[in-house]
């Protein structure tokens, strides 16, 4: 049975009629047209679908759109500034080659931002543990961890030079 869901997505109010069983990831991709959030597994294993709901990292393939009714949702498209300036974590992933094919990157970046927001100066081990719910089949994680460490420093007002060394 259709119902109306309303939420703020990337700072903009949206309201759509959806089936009650519609997943948040489907709502974002098919109803709103934000395709940066990827569907990799549909079983909450890969983390490609991570978004922020009310400031918390959530795998959007495991959340119904109706559960996000009234919430503030941020997708990978909403991290960059309005003028296109990349978020420090996005810039760090680019600078430190924290991606290859790019399929897992949106979820990795969103998870990394949440990790650093909650643990401003993570150790390498904390980064590795914090990204356990995200799978990358290309990189072997070395550059992803470097990127997250640099992004953490940049989010705290530092530069990305230290992680580049």
């Amino acid at each position: 049975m259709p119902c109306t869901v309303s939420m703020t997505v990337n700072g903009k109010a949206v309201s759509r009629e959806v089936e009650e069983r519609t997943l948040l990831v489907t709502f974002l991709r098919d109803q709103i047209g934000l395709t940066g959030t990827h569907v990799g597994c549909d079983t909450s294993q890969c983390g490609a679908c991570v978004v922020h709901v009310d400031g918390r990292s959530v795998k959007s393939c495991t959340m119904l759109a109706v559960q996000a009714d009234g919430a503030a949702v941020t997708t990978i498209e909403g991290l960059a500034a309005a003028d296109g300036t990349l978020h420090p974590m996005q810039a760090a992933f680019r600078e430190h080659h924290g991606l290859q094919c790019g399929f897992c990157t949106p979820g990795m970046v969103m998870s990394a931002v949440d990790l650093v927001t909650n643990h401003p100066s993570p150790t390498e081990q904390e980064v590795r543990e914090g990204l356990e719910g995200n799978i990358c089949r290309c990189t072997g994680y070395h550059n992803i961890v470097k990127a997250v460490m640099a992004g953490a420093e940049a989010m705290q007002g530092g530069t990305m030079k230290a992680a580049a060394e």
Side-chain angles (χ1 to χ4, degrees):
M1 180 168 168
C3 62
T4 301
V5 294
S6 300
M7 63 188 76
T8 303
V9 179
N10 299 333
K12 297 177 183 172
V14 296
S15 186
R16 300 284 193 282
E17 193 169 289
V18 298
E19 294 291 327
E20 291 175 343
R21 66 178 182 262
T22 302
L23 295 172
L24 180 58
V25 68
T26 305
F27 177 79
L28 294 169
R29 292 179 60 81
D30 297 348
Q31 297 286 326
I32 308 299
L34 297 174
T35 58
T37 303
H38 294 159
V39 179
C41 67
D42 278 330
T43 60
S44 187
Q45 299 299 308
C46 74
C49 66
V50 172
V51 299
H52 295 171
V53 177
D54 290 334
R56 291 185 46 236
S57 184
V58 172
K59 290 183 178 179
S60 62
C61 75
T62 62
M63 183 176 198
L64 297 172
V66 296
Q67 291 175 291
D69 190 45
V73 177
T74 305
T75 69
I76 191 71
E77 292 94 340
L79 279 186
D83 68 359
T85 302
L86 294 178
H87 182 280
M89 191 62 72
Q90 290 172 305
F93 267 70
R94 182 179 66 188
E95 177 74 21
H96 296 280
H97 309 288
L99 58 106
Q100 281 187 8
C101 80
F103 193 81
C104 71
T105 306
M108 286 282 186
V109 170
M110 297 303 287
S111 292
V113 168
D114 184 58
L115 170 70
V116 173
T117 299
N118 291 301
H119 304 283
S121 298
T123 64
E124 181 178 326
Q125 185 61 34
E126 288 171 328
V127 169
R128 290 182 182 281
E129 290 171 6
L131 295 178
E132 282 181 351
N134 296 77
I135 295 173
C136 176
R137 292 183 173 101
C138 300
T139 67
Y141 299 93
H142 180 72
N143 286 346
I144 292 171
V145 173
K146 281 178 30 180
V148 174
M149 297 294 288
E153 182 180 344
M155 285 173 66
Q156 302 310 311
T159 64
M160 289 190 273
K161 288 185 178 180
E165 296 172 354

